[in-house]
């Protein structure tokens, strides 16, 4: 059985004081839910976030991590550093990392291998750009992103992977994929994993949708059979909105 997950990616938002305030409010308002709830504040506030949420079920996760164990990589953060503060899940492959920081499929494949070696759960993000969808190439793009970064992994690695389909054209734009578009792509992703591995792996991996999920559209998107939750950007920065999205699952 795959888990339902609602995760908030805070991106480069909220200073230390604001982070503590938002987490305290979220912990107080968290509804009863079967879903796993996660938040990804910025690196500098991760350790404090872990402390603030010590007695909450909300999990603190990282927005990124480096593929090297340690060494001369100024500005980067290693798997061991995350583990040492109690963070054992990392987002890898976010489209903003790909677009603004030159993260290629090859780099992402290395990050995934390092994370799994260190027993860090991977929330792997991928998704097509607007031109890909307009030219009807979106299935090919998604298939190659998955293949290049994940399909060399051994079958057993998949128990530590969560997928997040985030069409780039829907991120931060207010334009959401329709629930039917999300379902269509998620079903395609499961079919692709079935072909590369098997149906058990495909059916056990949680596939989240991300891209302008809001309280008003979350219910419809989460209602689709192959959508197991959401990776939420803007709406995760407002406690009441994030709580409403958690309730929708
Ligand atoms: P928005 O919800 O702001 O569109 O961001 C989605 C996202 O990129 C989550 O990782």
């Amino acid at each position: 059985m795959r888990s339902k997950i609602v995760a908030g990616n805070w991106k480069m938002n909220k200073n230390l004081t604001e982070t503590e305030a938002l987490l305290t409010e979220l912990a107080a308002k968290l509804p009863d839910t079967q879903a796993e709830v996660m938040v990804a504040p910025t690196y500098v506030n991760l350790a404090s976030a872990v402390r603030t949420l010590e007695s909450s079920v909300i999990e603190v996760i990282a927005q990124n991590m480096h593929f090297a164990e340690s060494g001369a990589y100024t500005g980067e953060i290693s798997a061991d550093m995350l583990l040492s503060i109690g963070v054992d899940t990392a987002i890898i492959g976010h489209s903003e990392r790909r677009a603004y920081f030159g993260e290629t499929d090859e780099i992402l494949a290395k990050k995934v291998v390092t994370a799994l070696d260190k027993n860090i759960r991977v929330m792997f993000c991928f998704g097509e750009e607007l031109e890909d969808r307009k030219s009807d190439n979106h299935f090919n793009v998604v298939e190659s992103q998955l293949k290049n970064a994940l399909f060399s992994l051994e079958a057993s690695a998949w128990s530590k992977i969560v997928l997040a389909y985030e069409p780039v054209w829907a991120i931060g734009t207010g334009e959401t994929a329709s629930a039917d578009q999300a379902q269509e792509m998620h079903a395609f992703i499961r079919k692709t994993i079935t072909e590369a591995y098997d149906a058990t792996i495909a059916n056990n991996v949680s596939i989240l949708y991300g891209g302008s999920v809001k309280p008003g559209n979350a219910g419809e998107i989460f209602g689709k059979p192959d959508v197991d939750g959401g990776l939420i950007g803007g709406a995760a920065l407002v406690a009441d909105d994030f709580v409403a999205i958690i309730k929708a699952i």
Side-chain angles (χ1 to χ4, degrees), residues 34-191:
Q34 299 292 310
E36 293 181 54
V37 178
M38 305 174 178
V39 288
T42 179
Y43 271 140
V44 287
N45 295 329
L46 282 181
S48 134
V50 169
R51 282 193 295 274
T52 305
L53 292 177
E54 215 163 37
S55 53
S56 169
V57 295
I58 302 173
E59 185 189 350
V60 177
I61 71 173
Q63 296 179 17
N64 183 26
M65 58 159 266
H66 198 261
F67 55 76
E69 284 246 342
S70 63
Y73 296 96
T74 301
E76 291 293 333
I77 308 288
S78 73
D80 282 337
M81 292 170 187
L82 295 176
L83 292 171
S84 74
I85 56 164
V87 171
D88 61 6
T89 298
I91 297 173
I92 290 179
H94 193 278
S95 63
E96 287 146 20
R97 300 293 319 167
R98 296 175 190 254
Y100 308 140
F101 303 98
E103 296 198 4
T104 59
D105 286 351
E106 194 186 358
I107 291 172
L108 298 174
K110 285 162 74 174
K111 290 188 176 204
V112 169
V113 166
T114 303
L116 296 173
D117 272 356
K118 295 284 180 181
N119 214 18
I120 286 187
R121 191 180 187 192
V122 170
M123 184 178 288
F124 185 77
C125 301
F126 56 96
E128 81 282 1
E129 302 199 23
L130 186 58
E131 306 83 77
D132 303 321
R133 189 160 275 268
K134 280 189 175 155
S135 58
D136 211 22
N137 200 31
H138 47 299
F139 293 115
N140 289 335
V141 168
V142 162
E143 183 169 5
S144 79
Q145 288 172 327
L146 291 173
K147 183 165 169 258
N148 293 342
L150 301 179
F151 286 178
S152 303
L153 298 171
E154 288 185 14
S156 61
W158 282 80
S159 62
K160 299 285 285 185
I161 290 177
V162 172
L163 299 178
Y165 167 60
E166 299 204 303
V168 177
W169 49 273
I171 294 177
T173 57
E175 189 172 341
T176 335
S178 68
D180 286 338
Q181 283 173 320
Q183 168 56 27
E184 182 186 36
M185 183 56 88
H186 285 218
F188 170 79
I189 293 162
R190 267 190 233 288
K191 178 171 90 58

Side-chain angles (χ1 to χ4, degrees), residues 9 11 94 96 166 170-173 210-214 231-235:
N9 175 9
K11 309 189 179 185
H94 193 278
E96 287 146 20
E166 299 204 303
I171 294 177
T173 57
S212 299
V213 177
K214 307 285 177 211
L231 181 54
I232 320 299

